[in-house]
Amino acid sequence: MTTIADRVRDARLAAGLSQTALAGSAFSPSYISLIEAGHREPTDSALAVLAIRLGTTLEFLKHGEDGPNEARTRLEIDYARLDLTQGDAAGAKRRLEVLDLDIVSPTLRVDALTTLARAHEGLGDLESAVAILEPLLEDARSRSHHVESAKLANALVASYLEAGDLHRAVEVGEHTLTELEAAELTGTDGHLRLASTVLWAYVERGDLLYATHRAAELVRLAESLGTPRGRGSVYWNAALVAEQRRDYELAQRYTERALALLSEGEPDRDLPRLRLNYAWLLLRSEPAEPTAALEQIERAAPDLSVLGSELDLARVDVERSRAHLLLANIDAAEEYASAALVRLGEPPRVETAIAHLSLGDALHARGDLEGSARAYRLAADMLGMMSASRQSAAAWRDLGDRYALHGDTSGAADAYDRALREAGFRPTVPLSSWETWSLA
């Protein structure tokens, strides 16, 4: 149990204030010293002045977490987190938005707002999640709360990644990493997890060579300094980099290592997502291992149904579809691809295009060539709405293969051209010049 003395001292140190600075003109430094030593019981009026200077509340200084406002708010946050684990992001949002966060301590306020940002993310409202996290991160930086900054920056970088704002994702991540390293926090869990998330931002941005170099550095750093969880995050993201280089053997080794490390900790949505990624690799290995992939998918699915988003569950259905198609279970392949499309809904996403590709593959295997061609056209239409990324480039490449399989050489050429363009390879000769030469 903490005392008033403990809470005043801890809040002062967290605020970066000396006893003299906290005393100001209202008190003497010796009075603050007596309070922190437990030799003087401050009055409520004195605590109210100190609370303002410390950026907290009178209730928290007096009662700590046992104060009625603190306890009630903490209970609501716990219920909101339970809502999130049960897939009810809307319920969590409603519960958190009615809280009065002006009457609780700064730490509890940050907990409530970061949980609210998670609820917005779960609802696909990334703009609102970013609007919450940006000022929280700025405030944590201004107070030199580096551990808090690392957690907030990791969540913010992930939101920017999900939204496709890769430049801002890298900018936020690198700035915070520099501050962590200056504070001699290199190799801590917060540092390694943030560095791993930024690594993926470089991959998405197309800086694959630098990402490969950075991944090797992080693996060495994690092995020398990291905890199991920090090392697991590094290996996972290093596996994603290896995937992008099409080095599936190395990606599989890194993923297996990450699974072993992350399985040691408390359950969260990282572990089932990693299992899903492992299944993705098994389906693309040579030879493919659909039975082993399905085993990983079915182990991941129950946790993701509780901890994940609708996007996670759609990815589960797409990979199930692919695995069943490789096992010649065409009905199941079509059913899961269709389920993924229902989950993804109307908003344009690369994942929706990928789900259309999976449905087209199942229909093609059934012999429904017209249906498969229609699914591929829908995938092309969806990709046409997307901003360029490595993920969309890969989807265009896959679509080109499908057109080629159907004998549609013109469609295949267009899809391959889009893949090259979105990967950053532009035509070196203007198309108008080619048209002129062909007419000549």
Side-chain angles (χ1 to χ4, degrees), residues 37-66:
H39 299 317
R40 183 66 60 87
E41 184 81 13
T43 64
D44 283 359
S45 59
L47 279 177
V49 174
L50 294 175
I52 292 171
R53 293 181 180 177
L54 292 170
T56 187
T57 64
L58 165 62
E59 180 186 288
F60 180 75
L61 290 181
K62 192 171 183 178
H63 301 290
E65 294 183 0
D66 295 327

Side-chain angles (χ1 to χ4, degrees), residues 17 34 43 47 57 66 77 108 117 128 131 133 175 185 195 219 243 291 308 351-352 362 367 439:
L17 298 174
L34 287 170
T43 64
L47 279 177
T57 64
D66 295 327
I77 294 171
L108 198 56
S128 293
L133 294 169
H175 188 174
L185 293 172
V219 166
E243 277 179 28
T291 301
E351 289 80 9
T352 306
L439 288 173

